Each structure stands twice: as C-alpha cells, then as structure tokens.
Amino acid sequence: MDELRDDQKNNDFRVPPNLSDYEKTRSEFRWEDIHEELDFLPGGGLNLAYEAIDRHLKTDKKDKVALIWDGKGKVEEKYTFADLSLLTNQFANVLNSLGVSKGDRVFTYLDRVPELYISIIGIVKAGAVVGPLFSAFGTEAIKDRLLDSGAKVLVTCPELLHNVDAVKADLPALEKIIVVNKHNVPYTPKENEISYEQAMSEASTEYEICQTTKEDYSIMHYTSGTTGKPKGAAHVHEAIVGHYATAKYVLDLHADDIYWCTADPGWVTGTSYGIFGPWSNGVTQLVSEQGFVVSHWYDLITKYRVTVWYTAPTAIRMLMKYGEKEVKKHDLSSLRYINSVGEPLNPEAVTWSKDVFGIAFHDNWWQTETGCIQIANYPIQDIKPGSMGRPFPGVTAAIMNDDFSQAMPCGEEGHLCLKYPWPSMFRTYWNKKELYDSRFKNGWYITGDKARQDADGYFHFVGRADDVINVAGHLVGPFEVESALVEHPAVAEAGVIGVPDPLRMEVVKAFVSLRDGFEASPHLKLEIKKFVTEKLDANSAPKDIEILPTLPKTRSGKIMRRLLKARELGLPEGDTSTLEE
Ligand code: PRX
C-alpha cells in the first residue's frame, strides 16, 4: 500500500502555487514535495501537534494570534502560537503524570472552549491517540466510542459529567477523568476525577514532544455505517500532509487570513480544517462556542473581518431562509473565499451566495475516512454549480461498476472510488481490520457514495450506496438508532430510514411495533424521541415515528429497511421474494 503510483515517481517538480492549469498541476504534483514544506521533529519524527503549533515558534508567527475564541456571553479570548505551545506542553505533562503514554487513547467530550483545542493538541504531543466526541452526544453514543477505543482518559466538563457517570461502570479501561470547569460551576472532583485547572497550574510548560513517526496513530473519529455500531476511523501523523496541502490550495489560506470553520471538532471537518489545516499553515482562526444563530454568525464575520469561511449546506440553506435582508444589516465585505462540505450543495445556494455576498460557495467532497478534501471546486476556476468539483492533485477518483472491475462510461452513475494510498487516508477501523480491508478492491478505496463524472471531469453526487442517513452533514447509522429504539420499554422492533428534508438534506424516520400492553399515542412518540436524543443525539432522533402492527422482515428475521423506504417514498418495491409471509 505504500507503493507510489507511476505518475508520482520520477518527478522533481515543486508544488505549484495554484491550480490555474489543472491538468499540468495534476501531472506534476507529488505528495513528497508537500513534506518538504513541513518540518520534522528535532529528533526526526513527525507529529501533528508540532506541525500545527510548535514549528511556528522558530518563525515570525510565534507571537501571531492562532485562536480567537468567541465565548458565550460575549466573552473573548485570544491565544498566540506561543501561548498554545506552552499550554499544550502543560497538558501533555498532565497526561504523562497520569500514566498516559504513546498509543494510549485519550478522548475529549467538551464544548468548543479553548481548553478543547489545548487538550487535543496536548494529547497529540504526548503521542496518545485523540478521540474527540461531540458534546451533544448522549450516554449510549459516548459509551460505544469509549468502550470500543479502550480510552484510558477522558477530558470533559462538569455540565456533561452526568452522562459519563451513567456509563462509566461499563468502561473498564477508563482510568481518569479530567474535568475542565470553564464556566466555574460548583463542582468537587469525585474519585478518579482531576481538576484541569489545578493540574495545569502545577504542570511544567516545558515538554519534549513524543517522537512519533508518520505511521503512528494520531487521531480517530467514529463514523456510522449501515450495520453495527460506529467505527473508529484511525488516522496517522502523516495525515498532516493532506491537511496542510488542501487547506492551502483548496481553502486558499494565506498568512494574513482570518479563517472560520464552523464545524465542531467532534466531527472530522472540525479537526482537519478546524485545527490542523489552518494552524499548520500558520493562519489565525476563529472559534465560536455558540451554535448556529444567523445574526450572530454575520456579526462574527463583521467583527473579526473573517476572510475565509468553511461551512455546510444545511447552514447555508438556513441563511438563505433568513434572506438577503439579514445580510444587508452587516458588513461582510471582508469575505474573500467561501467553502462548503458534508452534503450536496444545491446550485441555488451557489447562485444565492454570489448574489448576496458577491462571491460563491465552493463545494468540496471528502469523508472521515479520507482525512482531507479529495474532490473540490478550486479558487481560481469557474465553479460548476451542483458539482463537487474535480480531484485534488495527487488524488485519482473514478466511477466504478458494481464489482469495481471497470470504470463506468462518462456521465453514468456508479461507485465513487479513490486510488490509494494518499497520506491522510485512514489506516484502520479500530478493532475492525476485516471491515477496513473490505473497503478496498482492485486498487480502489470504495467510498460508499454513488456519483457520476461529466465530460469535463467534474464529479456529481448521486447518493449513498448504503443505508447511512445524512442529517445536516452528519452521518447517522440506522442500526444505532434501531438499537436505541428497542431499548425503550414500549418498543418491540424498529426499522429506521432516511427521508428527504428540504433543509437538513435527510431526517430520520422510524417504524416501530409496540410490546404488548403499550398503546400508540402522540405522548408515547414524543417520549421515544426524547429517549433516543438522550442516548444518541438530536440528529439521530427520529423526526417522525410510525407505529405499525408488525414490520416487514426477511424469512431470517431481518427488518427490510429497503422495503420500508420504498413504501414511504412510493418507489418500486423491487425483489420481495425473501419477505416473510
Ligand atoms: O456521502 C458523502 C457526504 O458525506 C459523507 C462523508 O461524511 P463524513 O464522513 O461524516 O464526513 C463529512 C465531512 C467531510 C460522504 O461519503 N458528503 C460529503 N461531502 C459532500 C457529500 N455529499 C455531497 N456533496 C459533498 N460535497
């Protein structure tokens, strides 16, 4: 897998400054040249945290603001690269003092406060594998991920401790919980809990970053599939090569930019492009603790003179709903370049942004597994509205037939595949090597997406090849939702599908049958929705629950989601020969 492709060999070209000549750039691009723009650790290793923060200490970026934090309640904090270096050194020391060593898994479960970013970088400095958990996750969602990863330490806050307390008896590997009390709530540490503030105040600011190699694990994000619990896509330190290059050439980050990525680090966009991409380029970035509030978002762009913005189609559609009037109340003239990822970006959103901001959203495509952007509309080329763009140099994408033996003719739908390897690709699904291996065939990585490629080489998203549901850019696994549903005392069996939604792309719809003694009622449906929200998260909770006497099953007892979906959407039911009588 480490073999280079022929077109990557025998080439001593330096990375071109832009993608104006797309074909030429592609033929001359070598990932090795990107390595040369990065530094290695003084001892020769490669470490994401060093590339993002500490290497800038040797340059004039040392005292540049790296992080502007917009906290709730109009609080603001600023941190330079030098500040972050010292704080993350301290946090790495705290981890070592708790017995954390290279390769241990350390997870975070925090809102978007500066301490989240300090923890993530500190964990990586210590050579541990960081697993950021979305702070809106409920009990089952955190338990599944902490259990599967065998996380040894968790960094959280008093506001979320009740969820941790509810599951920690089921987590034998979890030894310590570090509690960040950003909002100074009354809190006394319990057994195995450590106050972040106290531990940091006692820790040295000097630290020698762990000598990780490019193939050591650095970060893992859990992602949902059709079957089974979420899988931990594990990345290595070499991923920084992809983060750095794509942040530079796709997001077009320059030294004087003020950049804002709206994604939470609980999802891959929030780490690859909310931490490592911008900071490895030495760019100042904005982080807002608050979620989506339209006027606040525009206020932030105005206040901080944001130049480059990376967000998601659902948010853009929400902005469109509020319309031009809201835009006109703000001075958004600082915006230079805007990008979108996670779901198909409708052509109307591209046109709308051009009309109201004067610049258009550039869509790009990638996945948790790919680690960095693979297909994109580029800064200096015309956008094809409705298309995800063309492959990044160094990336080969194709539309393959059902057995992955041949490329489909131009314009025809098929499986979107990528030639491997590339530096930021995932190296395993944690504890699920077989599943990982099954994603590769005939030299291709199978993305699980259906797409087509047009005559100009642009890719167009068609849909998922599996049952995964995309709710506002977040993948929801039907199996996880079904598992949560059947834990409710009233639910006998459950089948979950995605149904189209004009704002959020898809929403979850659940079909359930009830246990004896339970009556269908609006109250029960509400209770079931709340139950799933508390176990998983709001995106996974069914927007609609339909109660049926029984669910369609195969003769072997498997609920036929495909049939539920066909019936719901009025599509042909296809082959029903295995349907239980
Ligand atoms: O189905 C595709 C969709 O989101 C999936 C990846 O989700 P995740 O691993 O959570 O990573 C999200 C952020 C990178 C893809 O397999 N997707 C992503 N970008 C696009 C997209 N669908 C259509 N257009 C896109 N630009």
Side-chain angles (χ1 to χ4, degrees):
M1 243 209 268
D2 281 324
E3 285 270 307
L4 287 174
R5 297 192 319 267
D6 283 340
D7 63 344
Q8 291 179 316
K9 289 178 190 163
N10 312 322
N11 206 326
D12 58 6
F13 183 78
R14 288 283 161 271
V15 176
N18 61 43
L19 285 160
S20 54
D21 188 339
Y22 179 76
E23 293 306 336
K24 183 164 185 285
T25 307
R26 283 187 66 74
S27 67
E28 293 170 339
F29 182 92
R30 294 190 340 155
W31 286 110
E32 284 63 28
D33 296 329
I34 300 285
H35 274 264
E36 290 184 21
E37 290 188 34
L38 295 167
D39 284 343
F40 287 84
L41 288 171
L46 185 68
N47 186 288
L48 278 180
Y50 181 73
E51 300 305 321
I53 305 293
D54 289 67
R55 73 177 180 125
H56 302 306
L57 270 50
K58 296 179 295 186
T59 73
D60 58 2
K61 296 201 177 86
K62 178 173 178 237
D63 295 316
K64 176 176 177 177
V65 172
L67 171 64
I68 305 171
W69 181 64
D70 164 67
K72 286 183 186 155
K74 297 197 169 25
V75 193
E76 179 195 89
E77 291 177 11
K78 287 186 177 173
Y79 298 82
T80 63
F81 283 101
D83 295 334
L84 288 180
S85 168
L86 297 180
L87 287 161
T88 55
N89 279 352
Q90 282 177 291
F91 194 70
N93 277 318
V94 169
L95 292 174
N96 287 161
S97 73
L98 297 177
V100 168
S101 51
K102 188 173 164 183
D104 285 341
R105 272 77 62 213
V106 177
F107 274 47
T108 58
Y109 181 40
L110 278 173
D111 289 327
R112 282 187 302 279
V113 291
E115 290 71 12
L116 170 61
Y117 295 77
I118 292 163
S119 302
I120 291 175
I121 298 280
I123 293 165
V124 174
K125 276 191 171 177
V129 185
V130 63
L133 297 176
F134 187 36
S135 63
F137 277 157
T139 47
E140 203 66 24
I142 63 167
K143 189 180 91 181
D144 288 342
R145 290 159 173 83
L146 292 169
L147 189 63
D148 182 67
S149 62
K152 189 169 176 178
V153 175
L154 177 69
V155 191
T156 186
C157 57
E159 295 87 340
L160 292 170
L161 263 179
H162 61 283
N163 282 342
V164 183
D165 288 343
V167 297
K168 71 180 180 200
D170 298 324
L171 301 170
L174 186 64
E175 292 175 11
K176 299 280 180 216
I177 299 168
I178 301 176
V179 181
V180 177
N181 196 353
K182 184 75 177 171
H183 301 300
N184 281 318
V185 297
Y187 158 74
T188 318
K190 302 193 290 290
E191 198 194 344
N192 296 326
E193 289 176 10
I194 292 116
S195 153
Y196 171 92
E197 289 76 18
Q198 175 154 0
M200 287 289 276
S201 72
E202 292 163 4
S204 162
T205 53
E206 288 189 14
Y207 191 75
E208 192 178 323
I209 297 178
C210 182
Q211 278 292 338
T212 44
T213 69
K214 71 184 181 67
E215 283 303 318
D216 284 327
Y217 290 122
S218 54
I219 183 163
M220 60 198 288
H221 280 283
Y222 277 79
T223 178
S224 297
T226 294
T227 53
K229 296 283 189 177
K231 311 167 289 279
H235 292 274
V236 296
H237 286 272
E238 197 191 16
I240 194 69
V241 177
H243 302 154
Y244 168 82
T246 49
K248 183 170 176 177
Y249 295 115
V250 181
L251 303 184
D252 198 37
L253 292 179
H254 292 85
D256 54 356
D257 276 316
I258 304 291
Y259 165 71
W260 184 27
C261 168
T262 59
D264 187 279
W267 310 104
V268 73
T269 309
T271 55
S272 292
Y273 298 103
I275 298 183
F276 300 111
W279 282 344
S280 61
N281 278 278
V283 166
T284 302
Q285 68 161 331
L286 171 68
V287 166
S288 178
E289 187 181 13
Q290 211 159 55
F292 180 85
V293 178
V294 63
S295 58
H296 187 64
W297 272 30
Y298 288 143
D299 281 346
L300 286 176
I301 295 171
T302 306
K303 177 170 174 192
Y304 293 108
R305 309 290 302 150
V306 171
T307 55
V308 180
W309 189 23
Y310 196 19
T311 190
T314 292
I316 299 167
R317 286 191 289 269
M318 277 151 87
L319 295 174
M320 286 171 75
K321 236 177 94 176
Y322 283 89
E324 199 173 346
K325 213 168 117 214
E326 198 58 45
V327 176
K328 289 257 157 67
K329 289 186 206 157
H330 298 83
D331 173 8
L332 307 180
S333 60
S334 59
L335 286 176
R336 173 176 71 74
Y337 189 54
I338 54 183
N339 307 272
S340 157
V341 73
E343 318 150 51
L345 182 66
N346 14 349
E348 308 81 66
V350 177
T351 320
W352 178 79
S353 55
K354 183 106 178 77
D355 288 346
V356 302
F357 301 135
I359 48 175
F361 276 107
H362 288 68
D363 188 25
N364 52 66
W365 176 97
W366 59 293
Q367 305 180 303
T368 305
E369 287 87 343
T370 70
C372 77
I373 296 166
Q374 303 290 296
I375 296 177
N377 287 283
Y378 298 97
I380 43 153
Q381 297 166 13
D382 289 341
I383 296 177
K384 257 207 183 191
S387 158
M388 327 191 278
R390 291 186 285 180
F392 186 72
V395 172
T396 302
I399 303 295
M400 301 299 288
N401 62 359
D402 283 344
D403 67 4
F404 309 98
S405 59
Q406 266 185 342
M408 297 297 288
C410 173
E412 281 186 33
E413 183 182 315
H415 299 270
L416 176 60
C417 293
L418 303 168
K419 261 256 160 344
Y420 61 85
W422 63 95
S424 69
M425 67 183 271
F426 70 139
R427 298 297 203 269
T428 196
Y429 283 130
W430 204 256
N431 297 328
K432 295 185 180 66
K433 179 76 169 63
E434 254 180 55
L435 182 67
Y436 176 77
D437 290 339
S438 73
R439 298 291 296 264
F440 299 89
K441 234 181 208 143
N442 302 335
W444 295 100
Y445 161 66
I446 305 162
T447 68
D449 280 359
K450 291 283 204 72
R452 57 184 176 79
Q453 189 178 18
D454 68 22
D456 299 325
Y458 283 75
F459 285 79
H460 300 255
F461 181 80
V462 173
R464 292 284 307 187
D466 56 20
D467 292 344
V468 170
I469 306 163
N470 189 330
V471 182
H474 298 139
L475 300 188
V476 172
F479 176 80
E480 289 155 69
V481 184
E482 289 161 0
S483 306
L485 282 164
V486 296
E487 282 189 40
H488 189 281
V491 177
E493 50 185 11
V496 159
I497 61 165
V499 292
D501 181 81
L503 196 60
R504 305 169 74 77
M505 178 167 170
E506 285 186 297
V507 289
V508 173
K509 171 152 187 180
F511 298 85
V512 302
S513 65
L514 298 182
R515 288 185 188 283
D516 286 346
F518 287 90
E519 285 283 320
S521 72
H523 175 75
L524 179 64
K525 286 187 188 178
L526 269 182
E527 191 190 295
I528 297 173
K529 285 182 196 176
K530 185 161 169 269
F531 182 80
V532 178
T533 308
E534 281 167 8
K535 279 195 171 290
L536 301 175
D537 63 296
N539 287 326
S540 308
K543 186 147 184 245
D544 187 14
I545 299 180
E546 190 167 327
I547 297 178
L548 300 173
T550 175
L551 300 187
K553 289 188 275 309
T554 61
R555 278 185 217 113
S556 57
K558 222 171 144 250
I559 289 168
M560 292 179 81
R561 287 186 201 128
R562 181 178 55 77
L563 200 58
L564 287 170
K565 187 150 185 162
R567 289 178 182 170
E568 174 68 21
L569 303 180
L571 303 170
E573 293 192 0
D575 179 10
T576 52
S577 60
T578 60
L579 184 65
E580 194 185 46
E581 295 298 318

